[in-house]
Structure formats: structure tokens, C-alpha cells
Amino acid sequence: MRVKTDEKREAILAMAKEVFREVGYERASMAMISARVGGSKATLYSYFKSKDELFAAAMTEAMEEQGDDMIRGLDPENPDLEAVLTRFGRAYLRLLISPDALAIMRVAVSEGINSSLGAELYARGPGRGLDLVTRYLTELVGKGTLRDCNPRIAAAHLLQMMEAGIVQPRMFGAPITIDQEELISATVEAFIRAYGRS
């Protein structure tokens, strides 16, 4: 029975993703999604309490897997901090400027004031990422690879520098005018200068 339940949940998520991509968050409805899945709205609500919850699950599921792969690359045992952060930066930007990530961010910003959806999407995405990078940097501080600092602030600095000039233009549909490789290289250099052991 569990396998059947998991299969049904996955079918709902797959169909919901299609609907959200086709018509957008605002125009999508639970009735539209249940019609596509081939079941009743009651069945849909037995898996997801609201459209907000379904959107958050559908749109972040695949991104969470990519995010997990990206975070696994932050290996505190690897002594080549520059190489680790460079690989992380490339993966981080690829994830952030993917169509799904941009769609999620746009909905989070537009709906965040009116519902708990923005906070939910933040917790599943950027908030979770900040926590995981903080954990990695905490280990580096403990090993003496980084100077004594607040790892959460250092993580926020790293992530924001990685995004600078890349994510915001994409959010607005504007062209990116900064070379991503150059940005990553400059970010890693600045981060190591600011937080590395002299």
C-alpha cells in the first residue's frame, strides 16, 4: 500500500509541476491539477492541504536533490579550499538561474506578503542552503582553515557574493553583463582573503 501511496504522490507532483509551469502559480487551481491527475479534489487534498503546500513540494523537490548534490561537494576534509569553493560556486549559480529556481523565487516574492508560501519556499531553498553552508564553514573554523568568525555571517557573505550581478538581472528578465567564471573566481579570492588564515 505504501508503494501505491508514494506512486500517487509522485504522479500528483509531476502533474502539478506541469500545470504550474504552463499557467503559473496564480492561475493554477487544485481542480485543474486533480482533473489532470485523474482523481478527485478530495484525493488531492488528502496528500496536500493547500495549493501553497503543493506548489512548494512540486517546485522544490527536484531542486532539493540538485542542492543536496551541490552541498555534498563542500567537503571539509578537502584541503584545497579554492577548488572546493569554485566548484560549489559553479553549481550554485547553475541551480539559482535555472528556470524552476527563478519561477520559485518570483512566486515567493509575489506571494510572500499574502500567505505563508514565501516563508515556506525560503525555508526549503535559501534558508536550507544557508544552514548547510554555515555547517560546512563551522567545520572549517573548527579545523583552523578559516579564522575565528561567525560562520553564519561568513556563509551569507559567500552566497550573496556568488549571486551578485547574476541572479537579480535574471529575476527581472534582463541580460547578465558579468562573466560568471570571473565572478566566481573573484568571489572565492575575496572570501579567502576575508576569512582565510593569514
Side-chain angles (χ1 to χ4, degrees):
M1 187 64 171
R2 173 76 187 196
V3 172
K4 198 168 187 181
T5 301
D6 288 347
E7 283 175 6
K8 182 69 172 178
R9 184 178 189 280
E10 290 307 309
I12 291 169
L13 288 173
M15 201 53 66
K17 244 182 264 185
E18 277 184 27
V19 171
F20 287 128
R21 284 183 182 137
E22 282 174 27
V23 303
Y25 170 79
E26 199 163 304
R27 289 179 48 216
S29 69
M30 295 294 263
M32 189 184 296
I33 294 164
S34 66
R36 292 259 189 112
V37 172
S40 67
K41 276 200 300 184
T43 301
L44 195 57
Y45 280 110
S46 73
Y47 284 89
F48 301 95
K49 291 182 290 201
S50 67
K51 183 172 86 167
D52 287 2
E53 185 181 308
L54 178 54
F55 179 85
M59 298 305 285
T60 61
E61 186 180 56
M63 302 211 47
E64 284 173 358
E65 289 172 23
Q66 292 175 51
D68 289 345
D69 289 342
M70 178 182 68
I71 293 296
R72 272 192 287 279
L74 291 176
D75 178 8
E77 301 305 318
N78 187 332
D80 191 344
L81 182 59
E82 183 178 346
V84 169
L85 293 180
T86 299
R87 274 193 306 276
F88 170 78
R90 288 177 183 140
Y92 183 64
L93 281 181
R94 254 194 325 272
L95 181 65
L96 280 189
I97 62 175
S98 69
D100 281 350
L102 292 170
I104 290 167
M105 286 187 274
R106 288 179 182 127
V107 168
V109 169
S110 69
E111 295 295 321
I113 297 169
N114 305 320
S115 71
S116 61
L117 180 59
E120 173 75 15
L121 292 171
Y122 177 83
R124 287 176 176 244
R128 183 169 173 265
L130 181 60
D131 289 343
L132 294 170
V133 174
T134 298
R135 189 178 310 150
Y136 166 71
L137 296 181
T138 299
E139 289 191 50
L140 295 187
V141 170
K143 289 173 161 300
T145 304
L146 297 181
R147 67 174 175 78
D148 189 29
C149 65
N150 181 324
R152 193 160 187 86
I153 291 174
H157 284 161
L158 177 64
L159 295 174
Q160 290 300 305
M161 285 193 295
M162 290 286 184
E163 296 177 25
I166 302 289
V167 175
Q168 197 171 42
R170 288 300 298 271
M171 283 288 292
F172 284 84
I176 295 170
T177 58
I178 293 175
D179 181 79
Q180 290 183 40
E181 282 300 312
E182 196 175 341
L183 172 68
I184 291 164
S185 178
T187 296
V188 170
E189 182 184 351
F191 183 83
I192 291 173
R193 275 193 193 170
Y195 290 104
R197 284 278 182 201
S198 306

